[in-house]
Amino acid sequence: MADTDTVNELFAPPGSPLPADVVNEILSILRLHSISPQELFYKWESYVIKMGTENMKMEYKTVKDFKKDLQDALERESRAKGHVMQSATKKAAPTPRAGGGGGDVFGMLDGMASATPGAKLAKRKADNFATPAAKSVKNGLNSSPSDFKTPALPAKDGLAVAFEDRQNSGQVIESLNGHLAAAVAPTEPPTEARVKLKANTELAKFAYKGMATKLSEASELLDERIDDFTDLVQSHHQLPDGAFGNPAAQSTAEIVAVGRIACDTPNGKLNAASLVLETSRRMGAGMRIPLRLDGISYDFFPGKIVALRGTNTAADGEARPLNIMMASGPYTTDSDLSFAPLHALLHKAQDQIADVLILTGPFLDLEHPLVASGDFEDHLPADAKIQPDRATINDVFRILIGQPLQRLAQAVPTITIIMVPSVRDVISKHTSWPQDGFPRQMSGLPKQVRVVTNPITIAINEMIVGISTQDILSELRRENVHQGGKGQAFNDDLLARLSSNVIDQRHYFPVFPPQGRENLPKPAAIPGEVPEVGGEERLATGASLDLGYLKLGEWLNVRPDILVLPSVLNPFAKVVNSVLCINPGTLSKKRGAGTFTAFNVQPRTLTDEEREAGVSVAHNIFDRARVDVTRI
């Protein structure tokens, strides 16, 4: 018999047990169907694929629907077995014996036998053992009769009419271009075929593997069809690029929008009130915009690709600004591994339903005294299912970092979490800068998490964001030589001046050589450890540059709209050379709470002149974003 632990192991997300009512319902299904938990898990996976939802949650309502689906399938199977057994019983009837006179025992002569009394008797006996006709045959419906004859078509008066008795054979019902002469048979048959066939379809592509398309691929193919129609419309009507626009963006200017007709609800009926235009990700971020077609003639069906000209002065889909939160490690104080600042930040992201959460390392800090000691047993949560003698650092990361992020992803499924590693991350096998990301699967992170490289230049919608967890501002502060102009103080807007050096050099770490490890502040001592006299002392991690790959830190073809430079210096948000530069500070200091950054980005509104110009426009993030550096 299955127990609660087995059910949680198979069905629960990593580190988050199922609710008690869900577990009881699953155990009820196992008892009802007398199957093993593993077999039920396979049926659950099939059910998820059938429903077409990759991220289906194991909730009470979902389990009830799954249970009903299993019962329906069982009933269908039972009915099918009953029908097969009934047919087999009828076929197993005893073979009739021929009566006197050698009549038509099996009805094969169909009335051709002599009409002797013996023949009539044998015919009746054969009829007694024949399979009874179905109701559809008795009612004259077009189904296969029991004697394998071609079914008769029902006549207008309800009586069946044989094909041989049909009327008006050869009568022309409708004719197109009747003035042209009809084809007649030639006097002599042709010596060779008069037609040649050539397929205008790529036949080889039809030999594809069915049911193997991923949801992401299907989405791209649907988008590609809209984009192809956009090119056709532009070529046919000779429209400039500026004539097309995003129908979800608020504007009084008239634009041309190409998209797919859809219904505002998944299972709704298409009508004038439920019409929406589904855009591609390139033209409208895949949004659906309601259509108002009062006084306009149209002919629509779901899936039809159309090009519409009009305005959108409401723009309900773009009313809410983009909500982004950002924090940098360390995420707990040196005295414990509670990660209380991280939990507080995740609660804020959940309460505000953040769209994007950017977390920069270190997460498990190599310079943290408890992490450096390797003794985690007394600092893990009481409910952590982990064996200290067999645990790895990935298990510790999964308990302390992965599980809180799992809970946030379950509470806000639409959130996007970006994690940037640090050279001080103990979980990362790549300890030099530039640095590769760590594997997400081994860390117990949800699907909403994207583990990127350090540094990274990434596009969030139209915004270009540059992030590097290497503390370049501190390096510049220690090594910078500056002489201001007359009347200018040395520290006038120091942080903006340091950020401008990074922008001007077009590199995330332009300092060379960096500070030596022995010149950096030493990490906190490991509790209870007495250093050996003359032994090797602990040093800071430092820059750990790999000179052979420093080119990976360059800005190649674009300058970021937002430059994130986490540092131990004072947190700030400044506009430098049209770039929004942000230092969120550390979420946790060595002995207290730190800061994080929250900023909202308003949608970009194009003027009529910018639309008519038909050229690329600046993003102007520094005018559209409100940035708040907040204490946690």
Side-chain angles (χ1 to χ4, degrees), residues 73-149:
L74 183 61
E75 291 176 2
R76 289 194 299 269
E77 185 178 357
S78 299
R79 287 196 297 266
K81 289 182 178 179
H83 178 72
V84 172
M85 293 177 60
Q86 183 179 6
S87 300
T89 304
K90 293 177 180 179
K91 291 181 181 179
T95 304
R97 300 296 179 185
D104 185 9
V105 178
F106 298 100
M108 297 174 60
L109 300 181
D110 198 16
M112 293 185 290
S114 59
T116 61
K120 291 181 180 179
L121 179 61
K123 186 69 163 72
R124 274 198 301 271
K125 289 183 179 180
D127 290 341
N128 291 338
F129 291 102
T131 302
K135 289 184 179 180
S136 58
V137 177
K138 294 178 180 179
N139 296 335
L141 300 179
N142 297 336
S143 59
S144 299
S146 56
D147 56 358
F148 304 100
K149 294 182 180 180

Side-chain angles (χ1 to χ4, degrees), residues 445-497:
L445 297 174
K447 295 181 179 180
Q448 289 86 341
V449 171
R450 300 292 183 269
V451 181
V452 296
T453 59
N454 173 31
I456 181 68
T457 302
I458 190 170
I460 302 177
N461 291 346
E462 80 281 4
M463 299 178 295
I464 306 299
V465 182
I467 309 172
S468 174
T469 60
Q470 200 78 308
D471 193 351
I472 181 59
L473 297 180
S474 296
E475 293 275 354
L476 287 171
R477 177 68 181 86
R478 283 188 290 264
E479 300 292 340
N480 181 247
V481 178
H482 170 70
Q483 179 175 337
K486 187 176 181 180
Q488 181 182 6
F490 174 77
N491 286 332
D492 279 356
D493 211 355
L494 171 65
L495 298 175
R497 180 164 52 81

Side-chain angles (χ1 to χ4, degrees), residues 183-202:
V184 295
T187 55
E188 295 183 1
T191 57
E192 59 181 13
R194 301 173 62 201
V195 298
K196 294 182 179 179
L197 300 180
K198 183 178 181 181
N200 197 21
T201 302
E202 299 182 52

Side-chain angles (χ1 to χ4, degrees), residues 340-407:
L342 175 63
H343 295 168
L345 175 70
L346 299 185
H347 280 303
K348 288 183 178 293
Q350 177 179 340
D351 294 340
Q352 298 181 14
I353 313 180
D355 297 301
V356 181
L357 176 62
I358 301 176
L359 301 176
T360 65
F363 301 99
L364 282 181
D365 190 0
L366 188 62
E367 297 182 5
H368 194 288
L370 297 179
V371 174
S373 70
D375 187 8
F376 301 100
E377 184 173 1
D378 297 334
H379 303 279
L380 295 177
D383 58 346
K385 297 180 180 180
I386 186 172
Q387 299 180 4
D389 55 338
R390 297 184 179 180
T392 65
I393 198 64
N394 287 328
D395 297 326
V396 177
F397 184 93
R398 175 172 50 82
I399 296 296
L400 298 179
I401 306 293
Q403 288 185 359
L405 292 178
Q406 284 278 4
R407 290 191 289 269

